Amino acid sequence: QVQLVESGGGLVQAGGSLRLSCAASGRSFSSYAMGWFRQAPGKEREFVAGISSIGGRTFYADSVKGRFTISRDNAKSTMYLQMNSLKPEDTAVYYCAAPWRGDMQADYWGQGTQVTVSS
């Protein structure tokens, strides 16, 4: 069993920055790839970013490439999403998930953290 808890969401003006964290507990954090996803009101959940188990490979949705950075600290069992140059269209509930297998499926999901970007 793996528990995931997101934090760091909030209200920010367009052009601003936020850093999301995903703290994991349970099975060995460093053994699996992880991902960030988001869901805006009235829309389907979408992939945002993914990172390999030891952080050597990262993947991004085209909509966030160049603005968001995913990272992880396996010693702290925590994954991060640094979000810069935020846009109103980034407004959504952000979820972390594991293990990430390169698609929209995962065995474990966090409860989500709200990110609201005002124009």
Side-chain angles (χ1 to χ4, degrees):
Q1 188 75 11
V2 174
Q3 293 79 44
L4 303 173
V5 179
E6 304 96 335
S7 62
L11 173 64
V12 63
Q13 290 187 332
S17 299
L18 282 174
R19 188 195 197 201
L20 305 184
S21 298
C22 174
S25 60
R27 294 173 55 190
S28 179
F29 177 80
S30 62
S31 66
Y32 42 80
M34 298 188 67
W36 284 101
F37 298 79
R38 67 186 181 186
Q39 187 167 18
K43 296 187 177 181
E44 293 187 352
R45 187 172 297 185
E46 64 176 355
F47 169 76
V48 175
I51 189 166
S52 61
S53 59
I54 58 173
R57 299 178 66 190
T58 56
F59 308 83
Y60 298 95
D62 288 342
S63 58
V64 306
K65 201 170 295 183
R67 300 188 298 121
F68 290 12
T69 302
I70 188 172
S71 62
R72 64 191 295 164
D73 184 339
N74 287 345
K76 297 182 178 180
S77 297
T78 303
M79 177 178 66
Y80 305 97
L81 186 67
Q82 177 67 43
M83 307 186 295
N84 299 329
S85 303
L86 283 161
K87 305 175 181 180
E89 50 264 44
D90 294 318
T91 295
V93 177
Y94 284 70
Y95 300 90
C96 62
W100 178 58
R101 304 179 183 91
D103 56 17
M104 294 298 296
Q105 304 300 316
D107 295 337
Y108 305 103
W109 296 83
Q111 83 289 348
T113 186
Q114 176 71 48
V115 172
T116 303
V117 184
S118 63
S119 57

